[in-house]
Amino acid sequence: MNKIKKYVFQTIMLLVLTAGLWSCTNMDDGYKDFIKEGEVSYTGKIDSLHIYAGKNRVNVKGLIISDPKVTEVRVFWNTGKDSVVVPITRTSGVDVLDVIIDGLEENIYNFEVRTYDKLGNKSIPVFKIGNTYGERYEATLLAAIMNRKISTGISSGATLNGTLETLNDFTKKSSYSVITYTATDDTEKQLIIQSNLSNFTITDYKSGTDIKYKTAYKPEEGAIDIFFTPEKSFSTQTDVTNTYLVNADFETNPTGAALATMVYDVPGWIEIPVAGSTNDFQKLGTVLYGSVTAGLETAPKATATGGNALLGVKKHWGPADIYVEQVLSLPVGTYTMTWQSFMKLATSGASSMMGYEMDGLGIYDAFPSATETWKNHSLVFVVTTPKTVKIRMGYKKTANVGGGSSPILFMDNVRLLRAKL
């Protein structure tokens, strides 16, 4: 009986072993059919892959670090329908993939990059999203608000000083501005102004010529192409103060601190009332910043307005005018007149005569809105044919309100700028 059991057990084990061998043989045959010519060999994949955007193109960059067998890199897009092949000559170190792919429509692409060896063995894929930009993006730059405008451009001789406006927050991707100008040798030159700067100076500018400006944008960080807003022209202004005005900053022979009951001479200006007249109720003359005078009390302290002296006027009783003026013969042009003023005492019963008279009509800018504050003034006028223009600084007393409420007004730094008509 025991012999029969032993025989049966041995027979069963033999069948199991036979079945196992048969099974293993079939599995091995299937694996060989799958790999056919042996085990799969992969090349080393691309490392540090980057896709840099451009105008209807991209720049594909990456590193080949570990595999000396790599002979080419293939870049695929449009789900593998399009591709480029980049031959690679390996060195003993790290080699760089750096290829431009042109002719791409403006879109978002999913790029697939593989390395290959000379036997056609390839790496596992590396995928990266990349953008291209074109007409649709350029259309967003057509709005005037996207172009960083020139706010001032004032020349004196061959020197042009300019200022650019500040762009709104949503335009912070601006890279820089380009200023194109005509130089003194009649050549066209360009100046680059970085987006974090506002002021610029040109030292070889041909006076009276227009300048042009445009703003550069990078659609994203690392982009290989720059896009520009439409170029615009700007008419500069020439500082003609010294050409037509005398003692515009009131620095010539200031009266000093003794001003009392006199209308003093202000060199280069005509005084109204007449200089030299003595009157307890009117004071006019130039004084030093911070000086204490009998008629004008304490002059304002020196500030960024510059210089050492300024013009002061006061009239206790009225009505009457008190001012200085110059008569100018101006050629055709667009003029900007600027100056600063400081109101020491209240303005009751008076009106400004700070400005100009042309064709018998006086145009004046108002007093500062509060006392003890400086105001920057600006008036623009156009001369279409050569004519006489009067520049005035002072005020008209319109009521007999007494000395306690009479304005004490200080003025300084009259400037005249001219642009072409």
Side-chain angles (χ1 to χ4, degrees):
M1 186 70 170
N2 289 334
K3 288 182 178 180
I4 293 172
K5 289 182 179 179
K6 182 177 181 181
Y7 174 79
V8 172
F9 175 76
Q10 290 175 344
T11 302
I12 292 172
M13 290 299 296
L14 181 61
L15 289 172
V16 170
L17 288 172
T18 302
L21 289 171
W22 179 85
S23 175
C24 289
T25 300
N26 283 322
M27 288 178 62
D28 190 54
D29 287 344
Y31 177 73
K32 287 181 179 179
D33 287 340
F34 177 73
I35 65 174
K36 292 185 179 178
E37 301 198 8
E39 295 182 357
V40 176
S41 177
Y42 290 103
T43 53
K45 69 176 183 178
I46 198 77
D47 193 81
S48 302
L49 180 64
H50 293 283
I51 310 292
Y52 296 102
K55 184 175 182 179
N56 299 116
R57 63 179 187 163
V58 294
N59 183 195
V60 182
K61 287 188 174 184
L63 301 178
I64 304 166
I65 297 175
S66 60
D67 195 337
K69 302 189 303 300
V70 173
T71 58
E72 67 180 33
V73 175
R74 297 180 191 178
V75 183
F76 302 88
W77 66 97
N78 286 341
T79 62
K81 296 174 184 176
D82 297 302
S83 64
V84 295
V85 178
V86 184
I88 299 294
T89 301
R90 288 290 278 127
T91 66
S92 59
V94 176
D95 294 304
V96 177
L97 168 68
D98 187 353
V99 60
I100 298 289
I101 301 177
D102 290 302
L104 300 177
E105 292 184 3
E106 187 173 10
N107 212 335
I108 301 173
Y109 294 88
N110 185 20
F111 291 94
E112 174 188 341
V113 181
R114 293 178 183 261
T115 66
Y116 290 77
D117 64 17
K118 65 181 180 180
L119 298 178
N121 296 312
K122 59 187 176 183
S123 70
I124 62 174
V126 178
F127 295 95
K128 198 79 171 181
I129 299 295
N131 299 312
T132 57
Y133 297 87
E135 292 181 355
R136 292 198 304 273
Y137 177 74
E138 287 179 319
T140 68
L141 304 181
L142 297 178
I145 195 172
M146 300 300 289
N147 199 357
R148 192 182 185 195
K149 298 177 180 63
I150 297 175
S151 55
T152 61
I154 301 172
S155 68
S156 179
T159 299
L160 174 68
N161 290 306
T163 305
L164 290 164
E165 293 181 357
T166 300
L167 284 169
N168 292 323
D169 287 344
F170 64 84
T171 62
K172 282 184 176 177
K173 288 183 180 178
S174 166
S175 298
Y176 55 85
S177 295
V178 181
I179 308 296
T180 303
Y181 67 97
T182 302
T184 50
D185 61 0
D186 287 321
T187 61
E188 190 173 82
K189 294 185 177 181
Q190 289 188 332
L191 180 67
I192 303 297
I193 312 297
Q194 297 301 321
S195 58
N196 62 332
L197 302 176
S198 296
N199 301 322
F200 64 91
T201 299
I202 297 171
T203 57
D204 59 345
Y205 166 72
K206 184 176 181 179
S207 181
T209 58
D210 286 350
I211 58 178
K212 293 177 286 188
Y213 63 95
K214 59 184 178 181
T215 307
Y217 284 87
K218 274 191 174 184
E220 61 182 62
E221 187 176 355
I224 61 173
D225 290 316
I226 294 290
F227 293 79
F228 292 96
T229 61
E231 192 170 56
K232 298 293 184 181
S233 291
F234 179 84
S235 293
T236 63
Q237 296 174 297
T238 302
D239 190 336
V240 294
T241 304
N242 294 333
T243 303
Y244 298 106
L245 283 167
V246 179
N247 194 23
D249 51 9
F250 304 108
E251 293 295 305
T252 305
N253 297 328
T255 303
L259 188 68
T261 59
M262 284 283 292
V263 173
Y264 286 82
D265 178 59
V266 181
W269 297 82
I270 300 170
E271 299 81 18
I272 306 296
V274 177
S277 59
T278 301
N279 189 324
D280 276 341
F281 308 131
Q282 58 198 21
K283 288 88 178 174
L284 184 153
T286 49
V287 295
L288 299 176
Y289 275 96
S291 62
V292 179
T293 68
L296 300 176
E297 301 182 3
T298 303
K301 295 181 179 180
T303 67
T305 55
N308 297 311
L310 71 170
L311 175 72
V313 297
K314 178 182 179 181
K315 190 170 185 68
H316 285 267
W317 301 98
D321 300 336
I322 184 165
Y323 62 89
V324 295
E325 79 172 15
Q326 290 191 43
V327 182
L328 315 180
S329 295
L330 297 179
V332 171
T334 299
Y335 293 85
T336 301
M337 176 186 171
T338 65
W339 70 97
Q340 291 92 33
S341 72
F342 183 96
M343 183 61 69
K344 182 73 176 179
L345 289 183
T347 61
S348 175
S351 60
S352 172
M353 290 187 70
M354 297 181 291
Y356 67 92
E357 181 190 272
M358 185 170 64
D359 297 328
L361 179 64
I363 305 297
Y364 307 115
D365 198 32
F367 294 129
S369 59
T371 59
E372 300 289 337
T373 61
W374 282 100
K375 179 180 180 180
N376 294 318
H377 300 264
S378 180
L379 291 176
V380 177
F381 59 93
V382 178
V383 176
T384 54
T385 59
K387 64 180 58 180
T388 296
V389 177
K390 296 178 180 179
I391 303 296
R392 289 177 176 166
M393 288 286 111
Y395 64 79
K396 176 189 290 291
K397 191 69 181 297
T398 57
N400 274 334
V401 291
S405 60
S406 296
I408 297 179
L409 178 65
F410 293 97
M411 294 144 285
D412 201 5
N413 299 319
V414 182
R415 294 289 178 265
L416 190 63
L417 311 174
R418 178 175 177 261
K420 70 179 184 179
L421 190 60

